C-alpha cells in the first residue's frame, strides 16, 4: 500500500466582485450596515438620577434633622439635675415648650423619613443602573450615598441638638 496523496484540486481564485460571486454560486459578502441604536453606548441618565436622588435624600434629610435637633436642644433650658441625672419632666413644661417639643419630634422624624424614602429610591435605582451599565459610576456612588447617608443625617441631628442646647448649658441645675 502506498500512501500517495490525492491529486490537488484545481485552483479557483475567489471572485473579485459581488456579481462574480453570485454567478459562481458563492454567498455574497456582508455589506456595511450602520450600527443600530441598541449597539450605541447606553445613556448614563439612570445612574445620574439615582445619584441626584441619593444626594437630595442626604441634603433634605439633614436640613430637617438639623432644625429638629435645634428645637430639641433648646428644651435643655427646662432640664433639672437630680439624683437620676439631668431630666426633662414633660408635665412641668410650659405650653410653648410642649409645642416646641412636638415640632422638634416631627421635624426629626420627617428628616429621617424623607432620607429613608429618597435614599431607598436612590439605592434601588443605583443597583439597577450599575447592573445594566447605564451610568455605572453614578449608580455605585448613589448606592454608597444611600447606605452611608443615614449616618450623616444622624450626625447632623446631633450637631443641631448641640447647637440648640449651647446657650442653655450653663443654666442647668
Amino acid at each position: 500500500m502506498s500512501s500517495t496523496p490525492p491529486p490537488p484540486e484545481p485552483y479557483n481564485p475567489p471572485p473579485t466582485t459581488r456579481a462574480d460571486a453570485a454567478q459562481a454560486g458563492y454567498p455574497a459578502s456582508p455589506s456595511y450596515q450602520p450600527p443600530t441604536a441598541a449597539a450605541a453606548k447606553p445613556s448614563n441618565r439612570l445612574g445620574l438620577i439615582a445619584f441626584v436622588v441619593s444626594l437630595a435624600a442626604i441634603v433634605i434629610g439633614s436640613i430637617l434633622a438639623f432644625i429638629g435637633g435645634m428645637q430639641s436642644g433648646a428644651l435643655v433650658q427646662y432640664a433639672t439635675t437630680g439624683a437620676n441625672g439631668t431630666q426633662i419632666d414633660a408635665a412641668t413644661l410650659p405650653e410653648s415648650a410642649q409645642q416646641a417639643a412636638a415640632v422638634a419630634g416631627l421635624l426629626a422624624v420627617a428628616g429621617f423619613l424623607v432620607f429613608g424614602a429618597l435614599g431607598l429610591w436612590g439605592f434601588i435605582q443605583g443597583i439597577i443602573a450599575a447592573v445594566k451599565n447605564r451610568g455605572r459610576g453614578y449608580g455605585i456612588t448613589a448606592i454608597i450615598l444611600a447606605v452611608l447617608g443615614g449616618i450623616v443625617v444622624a450626625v447632623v441631628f446631633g450637631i443641631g441638638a448641640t447647637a440648640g442646647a449651647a446657650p442653655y448649658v450653663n443654666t442647668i441645675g
Side-chain angles (χ1 to χ4, degrees), residues 1-8:
M1 279 194 156
S2 89
S3 68
T4 57

Side-chain angles (χ1 to χ4, degrees), residues 12-85:
N12 290 331
T16 56
T17 64
R18 291 177 64 95
D20 290 343
Q23 287 178 352
Y26 289 104
S29 62
S31 62
Y32 173 76
Q33 295 182 4
T36 62
K41 184 180 176 193
S43 171
N44 66 352
R45 186 174 294 166
L46 189 68
L48 183 62
I49 291 172
F51 170 73
V52 169
V53 168
S54 292
L55 191 62
I58 293 173
V59 170
I60 295 170
S62 294
I63 290 171
L64 291 173
F66 182 80
I67 296 170
M70 290 278 292
Q71 290 284 326
S72 64
L75 296 174
V76 167
Q77 63 184 316
Y78 300 106
T80 57
T81 305
N84 296 330

